[in-house]
Structures are given as C-alpha cells and as structure tokens.
C-alpha cells in the first residue's frame, strides 16, 4: 500500500474540545439515539418537533406506514408559519436586536439584519406581494442573483403562504419560462442586472420575447440592482419602489404542516425538470434537527452558554437557487436562531482568497462549501489561505459530490490545520450527503464527535435507515460491493410529490424498490460500516456538484438547426468533477467543423443557461442504440473515456461502435 493509500484509509478525529460541548456527546450516544429514532420514529420526531412553534398543535406525528403509504403526512393538522419560526418568534422572545442574516456584497458592503430589521423588511416585501394580488397557495417565481432581496422575498412568500419557486440565476430565461409554466406562477421576481466580478451583467433583458409567452404571469416584479435601463415589459412593477412604500406590519399566515412551502426544480433522468415539492412542518423540523446536531453551533434555540451576541457564525457558500441555499443559508439556521452569512459574489474575485477573507471579516466559525470550490481554490496554494486569520473557525463541511482525497487532504491540512500521525486531529470536515428531494442531510458525520474517513459521508442521520440493494432488491451486506442506495423508511423532510405529477414521484423514487425511497445513487460500505457514495446510477450528470439531466442538455443541443440527434455523457474534469461530452449527429448535408461546434455550444448556453456547457463535442454519423431505440449510454461513456466497451451484441447497430471509437481516437487525449 502506498503512503497516500495508508493516509486515506486512516480515521481522522475532530478536535477533542468540540465533544465537551456537543449536543450528542459521543458515538455510543449517537448509536443509541439513532436506534431509537428508527425504531420509534414517531417518538423521536415528536421530541424534535418541540423546537418548532406551532400556532395550533399537531395531532399525529406521522400517518404513513412503510408498507402501504410510504411518505405519509407529518405533524397532521398542525398550524404554523416558517417565517414566524425563523424571525418573529425570536423578536417576541426579546432577541429583536440580535443579528440574524449577515449579507455581504461583492463591493464589501455588509448588511447585517437584526431579527427586528429582518421582520420589517420581510413584512414590507410580503405586503408588496399582496398588493400584486399574491395570496396563500399562489406560486411566485424568483429568478435573482445572490442579493439580500432574494432572502427577504423568499421569506416574504413563506410569511403569506405563497409558494416560491426559485430558479438559479445561472439558468437561462428559457428554463425560467418552463418552470413558470409548469407551476403556473403568477408573479416573476427578477433583477434588472447582476453584479459579477465588478461588472454589471444583463439579466432581465434575457426575458425579452420569452416572458411574453408565459400566460400565467400577471406581474413582473423588478428588483433594482444597478438601476441601469433594461428591457421594459408592460407587466413590469418596480418592486424596490413598491416595497419602500409598504407597511412593516404583516401577519404570518397560519399554514397547515402539509401545505407546500416551496417548489424547487431539479433534473431527472428523462424529460423536463421535476418540481420537487417541500411542505411546511416536516421540512422545517428536519432541517433544524440536522443542523443542530451535526454542526453544534450556538444559536438562540440553544446558546450553549454563549451570550446571544457571541453566537457562532455560520457560512454556507451555496447559491440560494439550489436546495443547499434554501435549507442551509435561510430556513434551518434562521429557525434555530443562528447568525447566517450570505455572500453575493464568487470565491475568486476580487482575489483568490475571498472566502477566507469573508471568514476573517465576519468571524465565521462554521464553514460549509462544495468539493468543486475546494478544488478550484487549492490550486492557488496555501498562501491564499494563510493570509487570513481563520482562528475562529471550528468546523468545515462539504456537500454535493464526493470529497475526494486530494481536496479532502488539502482542506484538512490547510484550512482545518489538522495534524498527521497515527491519530490525526483537527477541525472536522463534515461530509453531508443529501439531495434536493430529501430536504436535508441523510448521511453525515456529526462534526464534534464522528471519526472521519476521507471521501465517506460516514453514517446515517437520525430517522434515516439506509440500505444497499441489488437489482432484485435484496440486501447487500458485503463490504466494498457497489449497490443501489435506498432508504427503508421516510423522514419528515422528504419531498411529498412532484408538482402536478404524483405518478412521476412514485415511479421515480418509490417503485424500483418496493417500500423504499431510491436515491438514484450507487454506494458501498467498508468493513467498519462507513458509507461511500459511488455516483449516480442514472443519466444525471453532476457538473460542479450541480445536477444536469442528460435529456435536457440533449434537447438544447437538438434545438440547433444543424443538429439531427445527440447524446451526452459525463466526462472527468479536474475542477468540476465532471463535464459534458456530447455526441452530435448533424442534419444530412451539414459539414461538421470547429466553427459549428462553437456555435452549438453558444446555442446550448443560450437555451439552457451559461452553467450548461458541452465541453467536448464529437460529430458522429449514428449513435449506438438498443433494438427498442434507446441510446446505450454505457457504450458512449466507455468510448468517451477510451475504455473497455464491453459487450455490444444487444445493440441494433453494433457496426457504429467502431466508427465512434475511431472518431474518438482522432480527438486524442482530452484533459480538463
Ligand atoms: C446528488 C444530489 C443536496 C445538496 C447538493 C446536491 C450527490 C450530494 C454528496 C456527498 C457524494 C453527494 C449524489 C446525490 N451528492 N452530496 N456528500 N457525497 N455525493 O443536491 O443537486 O439534488 O444532487 O448529489 O449523487 O444524489 P442535488
């Protein structure tokens, strides 16, 4: 075994002082509580739900049953409001002047909101939405950069019971339209422009010609970021001006536990994106519970001996356009009464140490980012980190994809200041495994106590019972054996349905393995029971930790005039984890050249958003298909990687394979 292999397989320990104030004191206690949580989930979740203030108490914790109604209803007939739990209750308990959301702009502006100030801003935004006719149950689409208004308006929706559907700012206007249409949003909130790396970039103008085709939209609420002139549409409302005239008094709408809090679209294997539906009570309880135990930060719910003003400072670097931003920047930390940081910009502007500068400036104690960001930052070396005072940091974390050994080691050594040796000790790296669908973490190490294994998301969170299954649905208990990754019981934060398509929910997640939630991932355990995620078992491509559905990317490519057909697969990328490798069959008579490749890439980015970029395009006369006409992606992946292609006898057209192999050879070695 090489030195680095040995290093990789060691256990790494959290700094011992963390355990002294931990909410779960040690691994024995973790195991005991976990066992109780899966044996008596109703008892366990009833206890956890005490963290939430209900206007009307709930009747039953959970109505489901794992062999009949898998998901069930949680905290039935309880009435509550998420914004109330995030903001108002802290004001009512006398913490109105304490910091809540700390927003920092690219230009260093800091807007630190006390709970009272946040309440006022959210109430004004809520009244502004109401004045546009938005009522409980209406859908509001938010397409915004990481400006403070994004946080405020999402909380405003929660306050009045409107359902928000946030679309990542890096997606295209076309994708905004699809999402608006699918859930029939009444209002779209958009920024005039975006600030990126010191420059103003257009945003709203991209809607020209598209927003006119969204019949459900009654108003386009424009948030002024730069105030520069942009495309004007007859349904525009100056939302910044409207908010300024509103009263700061707006009651919180009592919502049923099972009322929808938000829809968030995510890519699936086939067809259009799925509107993942999260509800009010279960989502809130689950998010709070995971964050409280895993990170152990001091917060108003449990100050752990700190003065309110000296609470820990939580910084999650995600964009609110993804589930991580929803659950980990806004809802869970605020409901716990934490100080939560939201940053407008990118990690490398105006300099390569921006994240670490923010940690110093805002006194960050808990820092949560993605492996793709660590890979991008590690190439600038330790100097960029060491320039800053990170002495307040207690815990680090990652999410979105496997945190592989090189970036794990760098994070541990350079940011975590961990030791080497037989029993390495340092700032823990929390590896959290979850999905848009699952609300919050299902596999995760408890920062203060769990011994870590690099690349492993370790053990299940309370109430989650993971199982490894083979194709037939039989349990695989053999260590180091790849299997399908599923859960044999639900938890309160699990999605309830796909918006407008419950059958799709059932068929995607609950059908492959009866009475189980199937994640779509492969995983394995080692001899010690540590879980390792091995990647997607379906056609979802993870680029920089973000999910892209092959069908959507292909649809964007196919909409180019010169393209007859296409198929995409993941290809390794040193920064992004994977990138997109596209096989493109052109219309007859069209000549494939470099210029056309550039044009296709441009077209795809315009259709699907700048985040969607096929970095390799290979023209191919035909694609390998099964007799039923399905593209054989396994073969395409192998050809892209110039690996072993395996058996192609089941193909309808095995002869195309050699041509593709030859074509691929012409591209030579491709390294990102
Ligand atoms: C997919 C979900 C949930 C927030 C971000 C991504 C992969 C997620 C990990 C991890 C290995 C991970 C899985 C999962 N994934 N976290 N810690 N280790 N893989 O949310 O876009 O819904 O993607 O991300 O493949 O299924 P998402």
């Amino acid at each position: 075994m090489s030195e680095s292999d040995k290093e990789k397989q060691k256990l790494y320990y959290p700094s011992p002082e963390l355990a002294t104030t931990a909410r779960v004191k040690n691994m024995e206690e973790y195991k005991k509580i976990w066992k109780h949580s899966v044996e008596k989930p109703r008892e366990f979740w009833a206890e956890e739900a005490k963290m939430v203030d209900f206007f009307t108490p709930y009747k039953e914790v959970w109505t489901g049953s794992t062999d009949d109604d898998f998901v069930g209803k949680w905290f039935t007939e309880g009435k509550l409001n998420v914004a109330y739990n995030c903001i108002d209750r802290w004001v009512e308990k006398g913490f109105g002047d304490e910091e809540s959301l700390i927003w920092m702009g690219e230009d260093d502006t800091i807007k630190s909101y006390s709970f009272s100030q946040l309440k006022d801003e959210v109430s004004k935004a809520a009244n502004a939405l109401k004045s546009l006719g938005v009522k409980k149950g209406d859908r509001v689409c938010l397409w915004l950069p990481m400006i403070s208004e994004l946080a405020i308006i999402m909380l405003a929706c929660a306050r009045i019971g409107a359902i928000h559907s946030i679309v990542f700012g890096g997606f295209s206007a076309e994708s905004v339209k699809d999402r608006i249409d699918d859930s029939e949003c009444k209002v779209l909130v958009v920024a005039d422009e975006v600030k990126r790396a010191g420059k103003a970039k257009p945003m709203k103008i991209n809607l020209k010609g598209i927003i006119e085709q969204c019949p459900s939209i009654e108003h386009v609420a424009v948030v002024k970021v730069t105030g520069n002139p942009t495309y004007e549409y007859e349904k525009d409302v100056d939302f910044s001006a409207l908010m300024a005239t509103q009263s700061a008094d707006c009651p919180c709408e009592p919502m049923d536990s099972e009322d929808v809090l938000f829809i968030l679209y995510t890519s699936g294997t086939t067809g259009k994106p799925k509107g993942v539906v999260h509800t009010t009570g279960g989502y809130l309880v689950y998010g709070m519970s995971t964050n409280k135990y895993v990170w152990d930060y001091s917060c108003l719910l449990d100050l752990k001996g700190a003065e309110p003003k000296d609470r820990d400072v939580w910084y999650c670097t995600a964009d609110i356009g993804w589930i991580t931003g929803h659950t980990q920047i806004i809802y869970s930390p605020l409901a716990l009464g934490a100080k939560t940081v939201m940053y407008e910009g990118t990690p490398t502007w105006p300099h390569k140490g921006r994240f670490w500068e923010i940690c110093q400036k805002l006194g960050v104690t808990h820092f949560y980012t993605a492996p793709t960001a660590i890979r991008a930052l590690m190439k600038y070396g330790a100097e960029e980190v060491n320039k800053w005072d990170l002495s307040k940091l207690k815990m680090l974390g990652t999410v979105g994809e496997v945190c592989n050994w090189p970036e794990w080691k760098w994070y541990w050594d350079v940011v975590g200041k961990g030791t080497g040796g037989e029993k390495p000790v340092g700032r823990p790296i929390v590896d959290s495994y979850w999905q848009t669908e699952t609300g919050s973490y299902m596999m995760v190490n408890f920062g203060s106590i769990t011994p870590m294994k690099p690349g492993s998301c370790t053990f299940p969170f309370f109430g989650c019972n993971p199982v490894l299954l083979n194709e037939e649905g039989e349990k695989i208990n053999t260590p180091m054996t790849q299997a399908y990754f599923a859960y044999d019981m639900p938890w309160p934060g699990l999605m309830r349905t796909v918006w407008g398509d419950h059958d799709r929910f059932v068929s995607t997640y609950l059908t492959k393995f009866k009475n189980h939630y199937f994640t779509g991932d492969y995983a394995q355990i080692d001899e010690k029971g540590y879980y390792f995620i091995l990647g997607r078992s379906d056609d979802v491509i993870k680029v920089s930790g973000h999910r892209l559905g092959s069908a959507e990317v292909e649809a964007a490519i196919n909409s180019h005039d010169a393209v007859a057909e296409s198929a995409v697969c993941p290809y390794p990328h040193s920064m992004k984890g994977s990138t997109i490798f596209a096989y493109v069959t052109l219309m007859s008579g069209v000549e494939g050249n470099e210029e056309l490749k550039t044009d296709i890439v441009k077209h795809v980015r315009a259709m699907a958003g700048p985040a969607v970029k096929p970095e390799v395009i290979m023209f191919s006369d035909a694609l390998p298909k099964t007799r039923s006409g399905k593209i054989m992606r396994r073969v395409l992946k192998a050809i892209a990687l110039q690996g072993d292609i395996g058996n192609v006898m089941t193909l309808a057209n095995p002869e195309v394979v050699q041509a593709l192999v030859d074509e691929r050879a012409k591209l030579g070695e491709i390294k990102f």
Side-chain angles (χ1 to χ4, degrees), residues 235-252:
K235 293 181 182 173
D236 281 356
V237 181
D238 179 342
F239 200 72
S240 307
L242 183 64
M243 248 183 87
T245 62
Q246 300 296 312
S247 136
D249 240 336
C250 175
C252 290

PDB file of all heavy atoms in Angstrom, residues 235-252:
ATOM      1  N   LYS A 235     -46.046  44.427 -18.091  1.00  0.00           N
ATOM      2  CA  LYS A 235     -46.464  43.922 -16.773  1.00  0.00           C
ATOM      3  C   LYS A 235     -45.438  44.209 -15.671  1.00  0.00           C
ATOM      4  O   LYS A 235     -45.545  43.692 -14.567  1.00  0.00           O
ATOM      5  CB  LYS A 235     -46.736  42.420 -16.864  1.00  0.00           C
ATOM      6  CG  LYS A 235     -47.953  42.098 -17.727  1.00  0.00           C
ATOM      7  CD  LYS A 235     -48.217  40.615 -17.798  1.00  0.00           C
ATOM      8  CE  LYS A 235     -49.414  40.332 -18.697  1.00  0.00           C
ATOM      9  NZ  LYS A 235     -49.594  38.889 -18.911  1.00  0.00           N
ATOM     10  N   ASP A 236     -44.426  45.020 -15.994  1.00  0.00           N
ATOM     11  CA  ASP A 236     -43.386  45.333 -15.010  1.00  0.00           C
ATOM     12  C   ASP A 236     -43.916  46.142 -13.835  1.00  0.00           C
ATOM     13  O   ASP A 236     -44.762  47.017 -14.005  1.00  0.00           O
ATOM     14  CB  ASP A 236     -42.287  46.198 -15.658  1.00  0.00           C
ATOM     15  CG  ASP A 236     -41.332  45.376 -16.493  1.00  0.00           C
ATOM     16  OD1 ASP A 236     -41.464  44.146 -16.505  1.00  0.00           O
ATOM     17  OD2 ASP A 236     -40.455  45.992 -17.135  1.00  0.00           O
ATOM     18  N   VAL A 237     -43.361  45.855 -12.678  1.00  0.00           N
ATOM     19  CA  VAL A 237     -43.615  46.667 -11.490  1.00  0.00           C
ATOM     20  C   VAL A 237     -42.242  46.923 -10.863  1.00  0.00           C
ATOM     21  O   VAL A 237     -41.436  45.994 -10.770  1.00  0.00           O
ATOM     22  CB  VAL A 237     -44.448  45.875 -10.449  1.00  0.00           C
ATOM     23  CG1 VAL A 237     -44.724  46.727  -9.229  1.00  0.00           C
ATOM     24  CG2 VAL A 237     -45.728  45.351 -11.054  1.00  0.00           C
ATOM     25  N   ASP A 238     -41.980  48.147 -10.453  1.00  0.00           N
ATOM     26  CA  ASP A 238     -40.714  48.442  -9.770  1.00  0.00           C
ATOM     27  C   ASP A 238     -40.851  47.949  -8.325  1.00  0.00           C
ATOM     28  O   ASP A 238     -41.428  48.624  -7.479  1.00  0.00           O
ATOM     29  CB  ASP A 238     -40.451  49.954  -9.835  1.00  0.00           C
ATOM     30  CG  ASP A 238     -39.168  50.340  -9.117  1.00  0.00           C
ATOM     31  OD1 ASP A 238     -38.662  49.542  -8.293  1.00  0.00           O
ATOM     32  OD2 ASP A 238     -38.676  51.456  -9.375  1.00  0.00           O
ATOM     33  N   PHE A 239     -40.347  46.748  -8.078  1.00  0.00           N
ATOM     34  CA  PHE A 239     -40.577  46.124  -6.781  1.00  0.00           C
ATOM     35  C   PHE A 239     -39.816  46.835  -5.663  1.00  0.00           C
ATOM     36  O   PHE A 239     -40.294  46.916  -4.536  1.00  0.00           O
ATOM     37  CB  PHE A 239     -40.204  44.633  -6.815  1.00  0.00           C
ATOM     38  CG  PHE A 239     -40.834  43.841  -5.702  1.00  0.00           C
ATOM     39  CD1 PHE A 239     -42.192  43.558  -5.716  1.00  0.00           C
ATOM     40  CD2 PHE A 239     -40.078  43.382  -4.627  1.00  0.00           C
ATOM     41  CE1 PHE A 239     -42.784  42.832  -4.681  1.00  0.00           C
ATOM     42  CE2 PHE A 239     -40.665  42.661  -3.593  1.00  0.00           C
ATOM     43  CZ  PHE A 239     -42.017  42.386  -3.625  1.00  0.00           C
ATOM     44  N   SER A 240     -38.635  47.352  -5.980  1.00  0.00           N
ATOM     45  CA  SER A 240     -37.861  48.063  -4.953  1.00  0.00           C
ATOM     46  C   SER A 240     -38.656  49.271  -4.464  1.00  0.00           C
ATOM     47  O   SER A 240     -38.769  49.512  -3.253  1.00  0.00           O
ATOM     48  CB  SER A 240     -36.511  48.505  -5.508  1.00  0.00           C
ATOM     49  OG  SER A 240     -35.843  47.403  -6.065  1.00  0.00           O
ATOM     50  N   ALA A 241     -39.240  50.016  -5.411  1.00  0.00           N
ATOM     51  CA  ALA A 241     -40.023  51.200  -5.042  1.00  0.00           C
ATOM     52  C   ALA A 241     -41.294  50.783  -4.302  1.00  0.00           C
ATOM     53  O   ALA A 241     -41.679  51.388  -3.295  1.00  0.00           O
ATOM     54  CB  ALA A 241     -40.372  52.001  -6.288  1.00  0.00           C
ATOM     55  N   LEU A 242     -41.912  49.726  -4.777  1.00  0.00           N
ATOM     56  CA  LEU A 242     -43.157  49.266  -4.163  1.00  0.00           C
ATOM     57  C   LEU A 242     -42.921  48.847  -2.703  1.00  0.00           C
ATOM     58  O   LEU A 242     -43.683  49.193  -1.805  1.00  0.00           O
ATOM     59  CB  LEU A 242     -43.719  48.081  -4.966  1.00  0.00           C
ATOM     60  CG  LEU A 242     -45.049  47.505  -4.513  1.00  0.00           C
ATOM     61  CD1 LEU A 242     -46.170  48.539  -4.659  1.00  0.00           C
ATOM     62  CD2 LEU A 242     -45.413  46.251  -5.329  1.00  0.00           C
ATOM     63  N   MET A 243     -41.842  48.122  -2.481  1.00  0.00           N
ATOM     64  CA  MET A 243     -41.517  47.674  -1.120  1.00  0.00           C
ATOM     65  C   MET A 243     -41.332  48.858  -0.173  1.00  0.00           C
ATOM     66  O   MET A 243     -41.757  48.826   0.973  1.00  0.00           O
ATOM     67  CB  MET A 243     -40.203  46.879  -1.155  1.00  0.00           C
ATOM     68  CG  MET A 243     -40.351  45.422  -0.861  1.00  0.00           C
ATOM     69  SD  MET A 243     -38.724  44.615  -0.857  1.00  0.00           S
ATOM     70  CE  MET A 243     -38.219  44.873   0.850  1.00  0.00           C
ATOM     71  N   ALA A 244     -40.678  49.892  -0.704  1.00  0.00           N
ATOM     72  CA  ALA A 244     -40.347  51.050   0.133  1.00  0.00           C
ATOM     73  C   ALA A 244     -41.596  51.748   0.663  1.00  0.00           C
ATOM     74  O   ALA A 244     -41.546  52.411   1.701  1.00  0.00           O
ATOM     75  CB  ALA A 244     -39.477  52.016  -0.663  1.00  0.00           C
ATOM     76  N   THR A 245     -42.719  51.601  -0.033  1.00  0.00           N
ATOM     77  CA  THR A 245     -43.932  52.302   0.402  1.00  0.00           C
ATOM     78  C   THR A 245     -44.817  51.436   1.311  1.00  0.00           C
ATOM     79  O   THR A 245     -45.884  51.878   1.737  1.00  0.00           O
ATOM     80  CB  THR A 245     -44.789  52.712  -0.812  1.00  0.00           C
ATOM     81  OG1 THR A 245     -45.181  51.499  -1.498  1.00  0.00           O
ATOM     82  CG2 THR A 245     -44.019  53.610  -1.769  1.00  0.00           C
ATOM     83  N   GLN A 246     -44.404  50.210   1.574  1.00  0.00           N
ATOM     84  CA  GLN A 246     -45.286  49.298   2.308  1.00  0.00           C
ATOM     85  C   GLN A 246     -45.135  49.408   3.826  1.00  0.00           C
ATOM     86  O   GLN A 246     -44.079  49.795   4.327  1.00  0.00           O
ATOM     87  CB  GLN A 246     -44.993  47.841   1.910  1.00  0.00           C
ATOM     88  CG  GLN A 246     -45.191  47.549   0.452  1.00  0.00           C
ATOM     89  CD  GLN A 246     -46.631  47.722   0.000  1.00  0.00           C
ATOM     90  OE1 GLN A 246     -47.553  47.232   0.634  1.00  0.00           O
ATOM     91  NE2 GLN A 246     -46.809  48.446  -1.092  1.00  0.00           N
ATOM     92  N   SER A 247     -46.158  49.001   4.506  1.00  0.00           N
ATOM     93  CA  SER A 247     -46.107  48.948   5.970  1.00  0.00           C
ATOM     94  C   SER A 247     -45.248  47.761   6.397  1.00  0.00           C
ATOM     95  O   SER A 247     -45.170  46.741   5.698  1.00  0.00           O
ATOM     96  CB  SER A 247     -47.535  48.799   6.500  1.00  0.00           C
ATOM     97  OG  SER A 247     -47.592  47.834   7.522  1.00  0.00           O
ATOM     98  N   ALA A 248     -44.610  47.919   7.550  1.00  0.00           N
ATOM     99  CA  ALA A 248     -43.756  46.847   8.076  1.00  0.00           C
ATOM    100  C   ALA A 248     -44.557  45.920   8.986  1.00  0.00           C
ATOM    101  O   ALA A 248     -43.999  45.218   9.824  1.00  0.00           O
ATOM    102  CB  ALA A 248     -42.566  47.447   8.811  1.00  0.00           C
ATOM    103  N   ASP A 249     -45.846  45.945   8.801  1.00  0.00           N
ATOM    104  CA  ASP A 249     -46.725  45.091   9.594  1.00  0.00           C
ATOM    105  C   ASP A 249     -47.409  44.103   8.674  1.00  0.00           C
ATOM    106  O   ASP A 249     -48.150  44.513   7.779  1.00  0.00           O
ATOM    107  CB  ASP A 249     -47.825  45.981  10.198  1.00  0.00           C
ATOM    108  CG  ASP A 249     -47.787  45.912  11.696  1.00  0.00           C
ATOM    109  OD1 ASP A 249     -47.277  44.903  12.212  1.00  0.00           O
ATOM    110  OD2 ASP A 249     -48.264  46.890  12.323  1.00  0.00           O
ATOM    111  N   CYS A 250     -47.178  42.856   8.871  1.00  0.00           N
ATOM    112  CA  CYS A 250     -47.854  41.867   8.031  1.00  0.00           C
ATOM    113  C   CYS A 250     -47.955  40.576   8.820  1.00  0.00           C
ATOM    114  O   CYS A 250     -46.937  40.006   9.200  1.00  0.00           O
ATOM    115  CB  CYS A 250     -47.076  41.647   6.733  1.00  0.00           C
ATOM    116  SG  CYS A 250     -47.770  40.337   5.714  1.00  0.00           S
ATOM    117  N   PRO A 251     -49.177  40.142   9.089  1.00  0.00           N
ATOM    118  CA  PRO A 251     -49.322  38.939   9.902  1.00  0.00           C
ATOM    119  C   PRO A 251     -48.781  37.702   9.182  1.00  0.00           C
ATOM    120  O   PRO A 251     -48.725  37.666   7.958  1.00  0.00           O
ATOM    121  CB  PRO A 251     -50.841  38.818  10.089  1.00  0.00           C
ATOM    122  CG  PRO A 251     -51.441  39.615   8.987  1.00  0.00           C
ATOM    123  CD  PRO A 251     -50.465  40.688   8.634  1.00  0.00           C
ATOM    124  N   CYS A 252     -48.377  36.722   9.981  1.00  0.00           N
ATOM    125  CA  CYS A 252     -47.920  35.455   9.404  1.00  0.00           C
ATOM    126  C   CYS A 252     -49.128  34.560   9.171  1.00  0.00           C
ATOM    127  O   CYS A 252     -49.907  34.306  10.089  1.00  0.00           O
ATOM    128  CB  CYS A 252     -46.968  34.747  10.362  1.00  0.00           C
ATOM    129  SG  CYS A 252     -45.394  35.561  10.530  1.00  0.00           S
TER     130      CYS A 252
END
